[in-house]
Amino acid sequence: MEDRPGDRPGDRPQALPRGPRVVIIGAGIVGCSLADELTARGWSDVTVLEQGPLPAPGGSTSHAPGLVFQTSPSKTLSEFAAYTVRKFTSLTVDGLPCFHPVGGLELATTPERWADLRRRAGLAASWGVRARLVDPERCAELWPLLDSGQVLGGLHTPDDGIARAVAACRAQIDRAARRGARFLDRHTVTGVERAHGRVTGVVTDRGTFPADHVVSAAGFWGPVIGRMAGVDVPLQPLAHQYAKTRPLPELAGVNDPRTEASRPVLRFQDRDLYFREHVDRIGIGSYAHRPLPVDPFTVDAYDEATRRGRTVPAMPSAHPFTEEDFAPSWQDCCGLLPALKESAVDEGFNGVFSFTPDGMPLLGQSPALRGFWLAEAVWVTHSAGVAKAVAEWMVDGRPSTDVHDCDLTRFEDAQRSPAYVARRGAQQFVEVYDVIHPQQPIDQPRPLRVSPFYARQLQLGAVFLEGGGWERPHWYEANAPLTAGLELPARDAWSARHWSPIAAAEARATRERVALYDMTPLRRLEVTGPGALAFLQRMTTNNLHKKPGSVTYTLLLDEAGGIRSDLTVARLAPDHFQVGANSPADLSWLLWHAPDDVHIRDITQGTCCVGVWGPRARALVQPLTDDDFSHGAFGYFKARRTYIGDVPVTALRLSYVGELGWELYTTADLGLRLWDTLWDAGRDLGVVAAGRSAFASLRLEKGYRAWGQDMTTEHDPYEAGLGFAVREDKGDFIGRTALLERRTALPERRTALPEPDPSPRRLTPLLLDDPAAVVLGKEPVYVEGTPAGYVTSAAYGYTLGRCVAYAWLPPLPAGAPAHIEYFGERLAATVADEPLFDPEMTRIRC
């Protein structure tokens, strides 16, 4: 960990500005880490309140087995874990580091798992984690108790290991206290004070603590604290079984009692099990049992749990061990580790920890109560990384790691009901060790949100995946006859999952005729009021000072110039704008900054949208309206209100598939009539309904970016290839100063590139050389044999006859070779010029 103020010789922490008053609720690993990170940045007026005793107050930290695995499908979680390893390695207690790098070993006992380990090796390479696939013999060398005859292979990650969580709390408590923080145990929080939309203090059974910022790091008690603050905390606590065996003769004298373990943390994911050594015993964790939900409002306080003494250890987060749930897992353990047949479970408990509907943490400041922050649903694995991100967020205004998929505002209202959170949280528990396909939809509750076209989509045999609670058609079985004569390369089993050749037929129909796309799930905001234009000019990068009827593609940046989102803004009247946004976080960001003379309303739920795209789009819509839809009268990136048949619509001349067309918006009550009007009028033109699978292919052929996949706050517009959406001369906007600083960072390059690019990376289009090769995203990219970046979005380009992959790479010229690793195989690819399809834009602007 780098030096911070107060850590270097000669620093005088008491001379630093104390900063705002911060109260952290919870002194588990997250609360202690956050206090350390805040005080390291000069905020020393930090009070940490804990209901139990320190340093092991009885929450999840106190009993956590401490496993740290850095490989994850989430780049963010991988970075959090890597920082946790670095930081805890640098901390010592009683002469021992707080992290023991014994490594990790994931086993495959089925062909499906072995294939998945090859994929995970690719994820490790993408995120810079050392990892190596090993054969059964090497697995047995790493874990001599293994029955290697069951094992097909393993993934060895030598830098993973075991965090000593309670010791790490001690080390960080001591360090933060030296800088001025205070840690108060035996303080039970009973209320959160607020006034005028801001948090003002925390009430405990031993007094009230004024605060400018309050952070809930209460673990599975998060919903309890949230209710006190009037803030929704969508997490579900569940119990997870952990057992220790009797001492094993095979481990006698093997391990140092101080460090407890010498062999890698072992994961037997095919049976939802993991193992770690405890000197001469083995600890076993199981996710194989039924979900065991816990009501956080009924969990015993520390003293009550200790008094009952009903668990080992006796603490609120450790519930009684249910032997009947563990019995099948014990048989699996004995099969993998035969030495256990002569042993038995010596002690066990059901430990409580938190799950969210998507399995990610809940981080950030509540839009409902300024100054109230969440750092919840965080495992020890990610604890220090989360604390660093939240501290940066609080002190600097933004975390250096992209956290959009952890932002507490990411969930839709429909995903926040107690029933939804409970069901999805339980499913996340079940799926912890499952092989999850990136397109795999949730099972329940469905259907939850449907567009007005849903009945017609069912009639057409729509195959739905899910996103944001919405049912999203990915292709339509009614279009199966259109696949006749299509020549498509065969797909491997993984890329063929949640895919159909019908998508190719729908893409071709869009390119050759006309297709209807349900774009209803895309978020729509209405921004009105006398200050609307000035506000949007201040918030976004492009110039919106245009006549009503104009549409502008623009970006939301943070203060450091990172891309928070991309927007499509239609000016419908002088003080009336319709904004196409991405996530609930966009709405929260805009509301957070809006002045009193600006009104922002989410109109998504009450409206719907049909995308009408293809060379025959004008032939379809023009007979249905009295307005002139010719190119001269209704140009590209223009908007107007009109009628399509009997239906009033707002028509935007946009196309994210690279073809002529319009987005047609109307109210939800008229949606079905709009669909039927277009469908009936398009029959003679060969109209088809098309899904998201075809859409993804078409948009990548045009090089259109998807925020959250292709670019995030870690990227600026220029390196993302979106410099055209920035008008630095229009006046001030959020992020402008940072962009100007980047432009002048390397002046010699400014004239050599069409866009200012002081960054060593660019979002780069790749075409796979083999027409049969397909990748899906997040794969590592190699340049001259060395890992150089990773794939963001990928899809087969049916028009091009090649798979298109966008990747973050060092600047490379068109034609440069590269390789993408897919399940251990390196696929040749070539850097391409963009856009790959219709570079002159003749098909859109016609």
Side-chain angles (χ1 to χ4, degrees):
M1 176 179 168
E2 67 270 26
D3 286 337
R4 296 288 189 188
D7 290 337
R8 297 183 295 271
D11 280 343
R12 298 180 180 272
Q14 65 274 16
L16 291 170
R18 290 184 60 79
R21 298 167 299 178
V22 179
V23 173
I24 299 171
I25 301 173
I29 191 62
V30 178
C32 293
S33 296
L34 180 57
D36 182 56
E37 294 287 340
L38 286 172
T39 57
R41 289 165 173 79
W43 283 20
S44 57
D45 193 349
V46 175
T47 300
V48 183
L49 302 175
E50 175 53 58
Q51 64 178 339
L54 293 175
S60 302
T61 299
S62 304
H63 64 67
L67 281 61
V68 177
F69 284 89
Q70 299 172 78
T71 303
S72 168
S74 166
K75 178 175 179 287
T76 298
L77 292 186
S78 185
E79 291 180 357
F80 285 166
Y83 183 79
T84 299
V85 168
R86 294 197 302 272
K87 183 175 186 180
F88 289 1
T89 300
S90 73
L91 300 175
T92 59
V93 171
D94 299 331
L96 293 176
C98 293
F99 181 77
H100 190 28
V102 295
L105 179 62
E106 300 178 46
L107 298 178
T109 60
T110 65
E112 182 184 27
R113 182 69 62 179
W114 181 233
D116 189 58
L117 291 189
R118 294 200 299 271
R119 183 176 69 97
R120 288 180 60 79
L123 290 172
S126 290
W127 315 144
V129 178
R130 285 203 304 157
R132 187 164 64 95
L133 292 166
V134 294
D135 60 23
E137 290 71 26
R138 178 56 178 158
C139 291
E141 291 174 6
L142 292 167
W143 252 86
L145 300 184
L146 271 178
D147 177 3
S148 60
Q150 292 192 39
V151 177
L152 300 179
L155 178 67
H156 182 218
T157 46
D159 300 323
D160 290 340
I162 299 170
R164 300 169 60 226
V166 174
C169 286
R170 284 179 55 194
Q172 292 178 105
I173 288 171
D174 291 346
R175 192 158 71 175
R178 290 196 300 270
R179 303 189 193 110
R182 56 179 176 166
F183 292 78
L184 304 177
D185 62 1
R186 301 296 187 176
H187 281 64
T188 299
V189 174
T190 59
V192 175
E193 294 186 331
R194 36 199 160 132
H196 310 296
R198 285 203 61 92
V199 70
T200 60
V202 176
V203 183
T204 76
D205 59 349
R206 298 176 66 179
T208 299
F209 297 82
D212 303 302
H213 296 276
V214 172
V215 184
S216 177
F220 61 82
W221 283 287
V224 178
I225 301 301
R227 180 176 294 182
M228 296 178 190
V231 172
D232 178 38
V233 180
L235 67 80
Q236 174 62 55
L238 290 115
H240 157 61
Q241 292 197 300
Y242 193 76
K244 292 181 182 178
T245 68
R246 296 171 182 168
L248 297 175
E250 292 83 354
L251 293 182
V254 171
N255 295 312
D256 185 334
R258 298 180 307 160
T259 57
E260 292 193 340
S262 59
R263 292 164 183 164
V265 175
L266 185 68
R267 291 204 285 183
F268 184 20
Q269 291 149 307
D270 288 324
R271 291 294 185 271
D272 297 306
L273 294 166
Y274 64 83
F275 307 83
R276 59 151 292 188
E277 296 171 310
H278 291 276
V279 190
D280 60 351
R281 301 194 291 169
I282 293 179
I284 306 165
S286 172
Y287 295 99
H289 56 83
R290 61 192 168 94
L292 300 168
V294 174
D295 182 353
F297 293 89
T298 63
V299 175
D300 287 339
Y302 185 94
D303 290 334
E304 180 64 18
T306 303
R307 184 184 66 79
R308 294 185 184 187
R310 56 183 188 173
T311 58
V312 180
M315 57 181 64
S317 60
H319 288 198
F321 189 64
T322 50
E323 295 182 5
E324 66 277 11
D325 288 310
F326 195 73
S329 291
W330 178 251
Q331 296 303 314
D332 291 330
C333 294
C334 294
L336 183 72
L337 306 174
L340 296 184
K341 294 176 182 178
E342 304 302 320
S343 185
V345 172
D346 189 40
E347 62 185 67
F349 62 95
N350 291 357
V352 183
F353 62 140
S354 304
F355 286 84
T356 59
D358 61 2
M360 298 293 285
L362 291 171
L363 310 180
Q365 186 171 195
S366 169
L369 182 62
R370 296 199 177 207
F372 186 82
W373 296 75
L374 294 185
E376 298 289 12
V378 181
W379 296 6
V380 171
T381 300
H382 311 116
S383 55
V386 163
K388 173 176 177 285
V390 173
E392 291 172 335
W393 212 340
M394 296 175 71
V395 176
D396 304 326
R398 71 185 292 270
S400 57
T401 298
D402 168 60
V403 294
H404 81 272
D405 52 2
C406 305
D407 193 311
L408 61 88
T409 64
R410 68 188 181 272
F411 294 117
E412 304 282 351
D413 288 344
Q415 297 173 298
R416 290 178 171 271
S417 73
Y420 185 95
V421 172
R423 186 178 294 183
R424 291 304 309 148
Q427 190 62 31
Q428 288 295 327
F429 177 91
V430 170
E431 294 175 349
V432 163
Y433 281 165
D434 286 0
V435 177
I436 303 295
H437 191 277
Q439 291 284 350
Q440 183 171 320
I442 67 170
D443 293 328
Q444 294 293 333
R446 291 180 64 190
L448 183 61
R449 307 176 77 187
V450 298
S451 80
F453 323 131
Y454 185 65
R456 299 294 183 264
Q457 292 166 345
L458 289 175
Q459 291 170 0
L460 294 170
V463 175
F464 295 98
L465 301 185
E466 184 271 352
W470 287 100
E471 294 296 315
R472 301 184 180 211
H474 271 242
W475 65 85
Y476 294 85
E477 290 296 332
N479 294 325
L482 301 180
T483 61
L486 281 180
E487 295 184 5
L488 295 174
R491 289 205 172 202
D492 66 280
W494 185 252
S495 65
R497 199 177 298 183
H498 306 296
W499 172 85
S500 169
I502 295 172
E506 294 174 359
R508 184 171 72 174
T510 307
R511 290 276 188 243
E512 295 178 354
R513 301 191 303 279
V514 62
L516 304 184
Y517 288 82
D518 181 3
M519 306 304 290
T520 300
L522 300 183
R523 182 167 302 277
R524 292 171 291 287
L525 310 177
E526 181 182 73
V527 182
T528 59
L533 175 61
F535 168 67
L536 289 173
Q537 285 282 75
R538 164 68 178 155
M539 296 301 297
T540 70
T541 60
N542 214 332
N543 187 7
L544 306 180
H545 200 308
K546 301 173 183 177
K547 294 179 180 179
S550 64
V551 181
T552 306
Y553 177 80
T554 188
L555 306 172
L556 290 178
L557 304 183
D558 61 22
E559 292 288 356
I563 303 172
R564 283 189 58 94
S565 188
D566 62 342
L567 309 177
T568 301
V569 181
R571 191 177 191 186
L572 304 180
D575 297 334
H576 185 179
F577 296 82
Q578 179 174 304
V579 177
N582 284 296
S583 76
D586 295 344
L587 175 61
S588 294
W589 178 256
L590 293 172
L591 287 171
W592 191 268
H593 291 86
D596 292 340
D597 62 349
V598 174
H599 308 285
I600 305 172
R601 187 166 66 100
D602 189 337
I603 61 173
T604 310
Q605 297 88 338
T607 57
C608 59
C609 177
V610 181
V612 184
W613 291 311
R616 298 179 186 173
R618 184 176 287 114
L620 194 160
V621 299
Q622 184 62 83
L624 301 174
T625 179
D626 292 335
D627 284 318
D628 187 354
F629 269 53
S630 68
H631 181 64
F634 195 161
Y636 192 52
F637 266 75
K638 299 298 181 184
R640 72 171 51 165
R641 287 169 165 164
T642 184
Y643 287 86
I644 297 295
D646 300 318
V647 181
V649 301
T650 299
L652 306 187
R653 177 86 186 275
L654 302 176
S655 173
Y656 286 95
V657 299
E659 296 293 338
L660 170 69
W662 288 264
E663 294 178 357
L664 303 176
Y665 296 88
T666 192
T667 53
D669 60 322
L670 292 168
L672 192 59
R673 183 59 176 263
L674 175 61
W675 180 278
D676 288 345
T677 299
L678 294 167
W679 186 259
D680 291 342
R683 289 182 185 276
D684 293 339
L685 299 171
V687 70
V688 303
R692 299 290 297 183
S693 186
F695 179 90
S697 171
L698 297 169
R699 73 103 177 159
L700 279 174
E701 289 184 331
K702 283 297 294 179
Y704 293 142
R705 277 66 166 146
W707 182 83
Q709 289 178 252
D710 299 316
M711 71 277 192
T712 67
T713 54
E714 295 182 350
H715 313 108
D716 74 35
Y718 300 116
E719 60 193 11
L722 297 175
F724 66 87
V726 179
R727 294 292 181 268
E728 292 175 354
D729 58 353
K730 74 164 185 173
D732 195 25
F733 57 84
I734 293 176
R736 179 175 181 270
T737 299
L739 292 185
L740 290 174
E741 290 174 353
R742 293 178 74 108
R743 287 194 66 163
T744 58
L746 294 175
E748 70 280 3
R749 295 186 63 189
R750 197 172 60 216
T751 57
L753 293 170
E755 297 172 344
D757 179 24
S759 167
R761 61 185 179 181
R762 288 186 70 85
L763 187 60
T764 303
L766 300 171
L767 279 176
L768 273 70
D769 294 352
D770 182 353
V774 175
V775 298
L776 300 181
K778 300 187 178 181
E779 297 88 357
V781 180
Y782 292 77
V783 176
E784 296 181 351
T786 301
Y790 60 92
V791 174
T792 58
S793 295
Y796 198 85
Y798 301 111
T799 315
L800 302 173
R802 293 286 192 282
C803 184
V804 181
Y806 272 77
W808 283 104
L809 294 171
L812 295 170
H819 287 84
I820 302 174
E821 185 176 292
Y822 181 72
F823 286 90
E825 181 183 359
R826 295 198 183 173
L827 308 176
T830 302
V831 175
D833 278 322
E834 61 175 344
L836 305 172
F837 176 79
D838 187 28
E840 303 301 322
M841 303 286 283
T842 57
R843 298 174 71 93
I844 292 178
R845 294 192 172 102
C846 63

